[in-house]
Amino acid sequence: MTSGRRRSRRAWIGLAVAIALYLGLTLPTIGRQGINWDEHDDRSIALTYLTPGGMWAGSTVDLNQTRLPMYLGAIAFQATGRNSILVARLFSCGIGVLTIFGVWVFCRREWGDAAAIVGSLTLATSPYFLAFSRLAFSEGDIYVTCATVWVAVAAGWFARSTTVGRAAVLGLAFGVALAAKLSAIALIPAVGIFMLFGRSDRRTPAPTLRE
């Protein structure tokens, strides 16, 4: 086995360990008392989407919140046949796993395998991340956190090769982030600064997920 393959294998093992640690630390606490009033408000919005025509009519409850977390929660309810807060929290933990994976991808492409391992393990064991990522719907902001990470991944990918297809992926990532929380609009100038003043060697070949 070449040294490159050994390093790649270590990176994947590091990701698996980070995800295992995250789930091991989070799932035992999934049923604990949380910010119940907000979670239940969001649950009522999600249940509205499961009524006839509800996906198009929406809900007038808590109009200051964007609706992607509740839409996805409604899909989780529909898929499982259960509509409890516990199901929504478990779904949030799944989004947390996707966030850790996104950090791993970004760090690996920008700085290499060691950074990917450190970054994913640091996030997976962060007390703040563990606390908010298990909350249901919009209350913990795990959805916008995940979307922000994947905006960074898409921005780095686009910066390496400014094609129309990659621009479309970046635009889609922005759209998802804004649907998760309107404050994600702040990502637009942040990504612009990254494009203008980021790494000068970002056009060099980056490791792929298969490596």
Side-chain angles (χ1 to χ4, degrees):
M1 184 182 294
T2 66
S3 60
R5 288 184 177 179
R6 282 197 296 269
R7 287 195 299 271
S8 176
R9 184 179 179 184
R10 284 197 295 268
W12 282 101
I13 291 173
L15 173 63
V17 170
I19 292 173
L21 279 172
Y22 169 71
L23 293 176
L25 292 168
T26 304
L27 293 182
T29 70
I30 203 75
R32 290 183 184 173
Q33 188 84 350
I35 308 174
N36 281 350
W37 56 90
D38 288 323
E39 287 181 307
H40 282 286
D41 282 348
D42 288 349
R43 175 178 172 271
S44 71
I45 296 169
L47 292 175
T48 300
Y49 297 136
L50 298 179
T51 60
M55 277 290 181
W56 306 109
S59 170
T60 59
V61 175
D62 202 8
L63 292 177
N64 65 320
Q65 295 286 355
T66 50
R67 298 312 206 205
L68 180 63
M70 284 68 106
Y71 268 113
L72 294 179
I75 291 172
F77 290 163
Q78 184 70 28
T80 61
R82 299 173 181 271
N83 58 25
S84 67
I85 293 294
L86 181 61
V87 170
R89 285 186 171 185
L90 287 171
F91 193 80
S92 291
C93 287
I95 302 298
V97 170
L98 188 60
T99 306
I100 293 169
F101 179 56
V103 167
W104 182 88
V105 170
F106 180 78
C107 290
R108 187 166 186 246
R109 285 182 169 170
E110 295 297 318
W111 301 295
D113 292 340
I117 295 171
V118 172
S120 57
L121 286 172
T122 299
L123 181 64
T125 56
S126 165
Y128 183 69
F129 183 73
L130 292 169
F132 82 73
S133 65
R134 70 179 179 86
L135 295 178
F137 305 111
S138 66
E139 185 53 41
D141 285 340
I142 185 58
Y143 291 87
V144 69
T145 302
C146 183
T148 298
V149 168
W150 284 100
V151 165
V153 172
W157 190 50
F158 174 70
R160 293 182 185 278
S161 178
T162 53
T163 64
V164 173
R166 294 188 181 199
V169 171
L170 178 56
L172 177 62
F174 269 126
V176 172
L178 287 168
K181 193 147 192 166
L182 191 58
S183 60
I185 197 169
L187 293 172
I188 295 176
V191 169
I193 292 170
F194 171 75
M195 294 293 183
L196 291 173
F197 304 109
R199 289 173 46 194
S200 60
D201 63 337
R202 68 169 73 99
R203 289 183 180 274
T204 57
T208 65
L209 294 183
R210 295 181 180 179
E211 294 177 353

